[in-house]
Amino acid sequence: MRISTIKISFTAISLALLFTVSSCVKEPVPPVLQPEDTTYKFVKPSNFPATSYDFASNSVTKEGFLLGKKIFYDRQFSSDGTISCSSCHTSFSSFANYGHAVSHGVQNRQGTRNAPALMNLAWQNQFFWDGGVLDLDHVPINAFTAPFEMNETLDHIIYKINKDSDYRSRFKAAFDVDSASTPQLLKAIAQFTVMIVSANSKYDKYKRGETGGTFTSAEQAGLQLFQAKCATCHKSEFFSDFSFRNNGMTVNTTDKGRSKITLNAVDDYKFKMPSLRNLSFTAPYMHDGSIGTLEAVVAQYATGVRNTAASLDPALIRPQGAGFGIPLSAAEQANIVAFLKTLDDDAFVHDTKFQ
């Protein structure tokens, strides 16, 4: 009897110990995964197509982006220290030159064309109104060296950079070099500008089915009109096919546009189709900055197109000799304007990362 009692006691003690130990053993807790920091990483918006920029030869890093940003805003790289890239491409105007018909450079010299907005450049492979540059990395060369813009030389810019200990340390961090060179200068700026992506407008939310993407009746009507009458040239998520077209504006015989590059008369007065994103921030409009309001732009296509050159785009020639332009009533024009304003991206123009 005593032996049995002892056996039972030992068994009870063993079970109690086992229960106590097992209750102290906790199930492994999976690690809490923090969201990836994409501040300095290029991320393609889900409703955008594949990019055309060669990231393999110039991938974006934090150090490269911040270096490019510093150069973009630095006025010392103009011949008189008064103009930077940002002078003609301000963040609050979608990196256009708000309120200026044409660009203004050193000594208040004026260019001949409106400074285009800089955004969504990773999807483009021809730049400027005439398509004269084919690589985003090479775009700043014109701004740095044009007499009516920054009026500098690349060699002198590199000299200024290598005299500056802060710039030398930044180039070391970004490219692991002891002194800067022109290719690295251009790659740094490209790492900044290729990140300038606008994809958070009301329209984008509408396309992605996100909160804030519900259109008004006027905006919905405008979208349908736009798709029927404007999307021949202003197509895809960029609202441009980036082709070169003569849009029937009064010609300026001193600027023949695309033919300056191709040396072919069939390209006379053709200019690159701009994106229609963020139009509320980028006035004035057209390659020469000759139209001041969005309403006037739409009216121009409805009633102002002229057959001033043989290169007039066929999309603007009405059938059966009925004239030129896009037939639009006043109400239809108002609806198209309402839709175009859904392409405004307030978060983009106020993004401190670019300021």
Side-chain angles (χ1 to χ4, degrees):
M1 184 71 178
R2 181 176 298 175
I3 294 173
S4 299
T5 303
I6 292 172
K7 286 182 178 179
I8 292 171
S9 299
F10 274 122
T11 302
I13 292 169
S14 298
L15 289 172
L17 288 172
L18 179 62
F19 176 79
T20 302
V21 171
S22 63
S23 65
C24 294
V25 176
K26 296 181 179 179
E27 291 294 325
V29 178
V32 177
L33 299 178
Q34 298 297 325
E36 182 182 6
D37 184 1
T38 59
T39 303
Y40 302 105
K41 178 181 179 181
F42 183 88
V43 178
K44 184 185 77 66
S46 62
N47 56 314
F48 278 25
T51 60
S52 58
Y53 184 71
D54 183 11
F55 285 100
S57 67
N58 189 30
S59 59
V60 179
T61 65
K62 177 180 179 179
E63 294 78 13
F65 173 89
L66 293 177
L67 172 59
K69 177 179 177 179
K70 181 176 173 65
I71 296 168
F72 188 87
Y73 283 96
D74 199 333
R75 298 185 179 195
Q76 71 165 309
F77 300 132
S78 61
S79 61
D80 63 0
T82 63
I83 299 295
S84 68
C85 301
S86 66
S87 298
C88 292
H89 302 284
T90 54
S91 62
F92 66 82
S93 60
S94 191
F95 291 94
N97 199 185
Y98 185 85
H100 290 273
V102 295
S103 59
H104 287 58
V106 297
Q107 300 173 8
N108 203 34
R109 298 173 187 171
Q110 294 190 20
T112 59
R113 296 174 182 168
N114 182 256
L118 302 182
M119 58 182 164
N120 302 332
L121 301 175
W123 290 269
Q124 302 180 42
N125 51 29
Q126 292 177 302
F127 302 90
F128 299 117
W129 286 105
D130 55 21
V133 173
L134 306 180
D135 188 329
L136 178 60
D137 291 8
H138 299 158
V139 167
I141 296 174
N142 182 73
F144 281 136
T145 61
F148 53 85
E149 293 190 51
M150 298 172 76
N151 192 40
E152 255 295 7
T153 68
L154 294 175
D155 287 344
H156 197 217
I157 290 172
I158 294 299
Y159 171 76
K160 292 178 182 179
I161 286 173
N162 286 326
K163 281 203 315 177
D164 187 308
S165 59
D166 180 59
Y167 267 119
R168 288 200 307 273
S169 65
R170 287 172 179 267
F171 272 89
K172 178 69 173 178
F175 299 107
D176 194 24
V177 294
D178 295 320
S179 60
S181 64
T182 297
Q184 293 147 7
L185 165 72
L186 300 176
K187 285 183 179 296
I189 300 173
Q191 286 193 39
F192 175 68
T193 55
V194 80
M195 290 281 283
I196 301 175
V197 176
S198 178
N200 200 33
S201 66
K202 184 176 185 178
Y203 168 81
D204 293 303
K205 295 172 184 176
Y206 165 84
K207 286 286 287 187
R208 297 192 293 254
E210 298 172 357
T211 301
T214 302
F215 279 5
T216 66
S217 58
E219 291 165 349
Q220 188 66 49
L223 169 60
Q224 294 171 353
L225 281 165
F226 183 90
Q227 291 172 333
K229 301 195 175 189
C230 309
T232 299
C233 304
H234 296 286
K235 59 181 62 174
S236 80
E237 297 306 291
F238 309 109
F239 293 88
S240 174
D241 60 1
F242 302 125
S243 61
F244 301 89
R245 300 172 185 258
N246 175 356
N247 65 351
M249 296 286 291
T250 300
V251 300
N252 176 355
T253 56
T254 63
D255 187 359
K256 292 190 175 183
R258 179 67 173 161
S259 64
K260 179 182 178 181
I261 304 301
T262 64
L263 304 180
N264 192 331
V266 301
D267 291 324
D268 281 352
Y269 309 114
K270 291 182 180 180
F271 294 89
K272 184 180 178 182
M273 289 290 99
S275 172
L276 301 183
R277 286 178 172 269
N278 295 313
L279 290 176
S280 293
F281 309 112
T282 61
Y285 308 103
M286 304 299 183
H287 70 276
D288 56 359
S290 59
I291 300 182
T293 69
L294 183 53
E295 289 78 7
V297 170
V298 177
Q300 161 68 21
Y301 282 107
T303 62
V305 172
R306 300 290 180 265
N307 188 19
T308 52
S311 58
L312 179 67
D313 195 271
L316 297 174
I317 302 174
R318 299 180 188 178
Q320 300 175 340
F324 308 98
I326 304 170
L328 292 168
S329 68
E332 289 174 327
Q333 292 178 45
N335 286 337
I336 288 179
V337 169
F339 164 69
L340 291 175
K341 290 182 178 179
T342 70
L343 305 180
D344 293 343
D345 186 348
D346 290 275
F348 166 67
V349 298
H350 294 105
D351 192 338
T352 56
K353 178 171 66 177
F354 301 119
Q355 295 173 358

